[in-house]
Amino acid sequence: DNLDFPQAGEELAKAAGMEIPREESGRPHKPRQPTDSPLYPLLTAAADCYRQALKGHPARKAAVDYLKGRGLTGEIAQRFGLGFAPDRPNLSSVFADYNQSNSLIDAGLIKQKEDNSRRYDFFRDRVMFPIRNVKGQIIGFGGRIMDKGEPKYLNSPETPVFQKNQELYGLFEARSSISHSRFALVVEGYMDVVALAQSGIGNAVATLGTATSALHIQKLFRFTDRIVFSFDGDSAGRKAAWRAMTNALPYATDTRTIQFLFLPPEHDPDSFVREFGAERF
């Protein structure tokens, strides 16, 4: 499963009905995803709800038109589990304890007003991209606004199962392609990953609105010895590439390769592959 050593140990212990003894060293340690959490079923149910809304909600037309306008097919939307979060409360129809459950807040699915007067869905009027861990469990979401507005992308808040500086969008879906192509392609956005996959380039992953971190680099080097970064061709993309290089250099070795693919200033991987095709990319 390409887990790191402590996670693999926890998985094996769980399967054997055992507990791993803990040593308190007093040193701070990196927070780890729990291998089992009551939040996972809630996130899965929410993903199902968003997916069904994209198929049948009365307000889905804008989301469908947006995805079609970006050249995506129903098949690729289904493969990545894309969905739709309506503007009006939607998850209250799924969770009977919507107004009582603190777990829904812990999972980053709903928010509560400071005066505790009411609760509301965290994601509203957005195209939804479920984010999976390397085992395929849904740990959070990215929501993309369909019209003009800010923020363009909204990620789930940090939760016990989701730390965005450790996760990569599309890694679960890209594992076999990374193994086959023998390199991972790191891009900036969710849409880049999905558009490239539709074009037959299935080894792309994206950071979740953050700079490429050392933890991202370490995770990818568990899957491959070659990482290629391809960010937007504009000045912001060049700056992101510089930060990625700075964080990646300490992990470069004689057997690990780090490369950069620079695009024309007016293009990102999504727009380039749609205009020129996968072979040219």
Side-chain angles (χ1 to χ4, degrees), residues 129-151:
F129 297 79
I131 302 164
R132 301 177 186 272
N133 60 18
V134 293
K135 295 175 62 181
Q137 296 164 306
I138 294 175
I139 56 176
F141 297 92
R144 208 297 186 179
I145 200 166
M146 293 166 284
D147 298 313
K148 293 181 180 178
E150 294 294 335

Side-chain angles (χ1 to χ4, degrees), residues 24 69 81 88 96 99 126 136 149 225 246:
E24 297 298 332
R88 300 193 175 210
N99 290 308
R126 290 177 179 269
D225 289 328
T246 302

Side-chain angles (χ1 to χ4, degrees), residues 12-59:
L12 290 169
K14 178 185 168 187
M18 302 171 68
E19 284 193 17
I20 294 181
R22 310 282 177 180
E23 288 187 3
E24 297 298 332
S25 63
R27 291 178 298 176
H29 60 85
K30 182 179 75 176
R32 298 191 179 279
Q33 253 182 30
T35 56
D36 194 14
S37 168
L39 301 185
Y40 290 132
L42 301 180
L43 292 160
T44 299
D48 291 340
C49 178
Y50 296 139
R51 196 165 53 247
Q52 290 303 318
L54 184 61
K55 293 180 180 178
H57 194 277

Side-chain angles (χ1 to χ4, degrees), residues 15 18 42 45 47 69 84 90 98 123 128 145 215-216 243 258:
M18 302 171 68
L42 301 180
F84 168 57
N90 190 45
Y98 184 91
F123 294 101
M128 299 297 291
I145 200 166
L215 296 176
H216 291 139
R243 288 194 299 269
I258 298 165

Side-chain angles (χ1 to χ4, degrees), residues 93-243:
S93 64
V94 177
F95 300 106
D97 57 351
Y98 184 91
N99 290 308
Q100 292 82 37
S101 171
N102 288 327
S103 294
L104 294 173
I105 297 175
D106 294 341
L109 294 173
I110 67 174
K111 294 189 76 173
Q112 184 157 358
K113 281 188 169 291
E114 291 184 6
D115 60 4
N116 295 329
S117 59
R118 71 180 184 91
R119 294 181 169 195
Y120 56 94
D121 291 6
F122 185 80
F123 294 101
R124 291 166 292 166
D125 201 26
R126 290 177 179 269
V127 172
M128 299 297 291
F129 297 79
I131 302 164
R132 301 177 186 272
N133 60 18
V134 293
K135 295 175 62 181
Q137 296 164 306
I138 294 175
I139 56 176
F141 297 92
R144 208 297 186 179
I145 200 166
M146 293 166 284
D147 298 313
K148 293 181 180 178
E150 294 294 335
K152 182 161 62 172
Y153 282 99
L154 179 66
N155 286 321
S156 291
E158 301 270 309
T159 74
V161 298
F162 178 60
Q163 295 87 40
K164 64 182 179 180
N165 70 332
Q166 298 182 33
E167 303 300 336
L168 292 155
Y169 176 71
L171 181 57
F172 174 75
E173 292 83 358
R175 292 179 308 165
S176 62
S177 291
I178 290 173
S179 176
H180 179 73
S181 62
R182 302 179 70 180
F183 76 96
L185 179 67
V186 182
V187 295
E188 284 190 76
Y190 302 97
M191 197 60 70
D192 293 323
V193 171
V194 178
L196 289 169
Q198 181 168 287
S199 299
I201 302 170
N203 58 330
V205 300
T207 57
L208 305 174
T210 66
T212 305
S213 71
L215 296 176
H216 291 139
I217 303 295
Q218 289 173 296
K219 178 170 281 191
L220 284 173
F221 275 137
R222 295 209 304 268
F223 290 82
T224 180
D225 289 328
R226 181 182 172 211
I227 299 174
V228 179
F229 294 96
S230 182
F231 298 146
D232 296 0
D234 59 13
S235 60
R238 297 294 172 110
K239 290 177 182 176
W242 180 263
R243 288 194 299 269

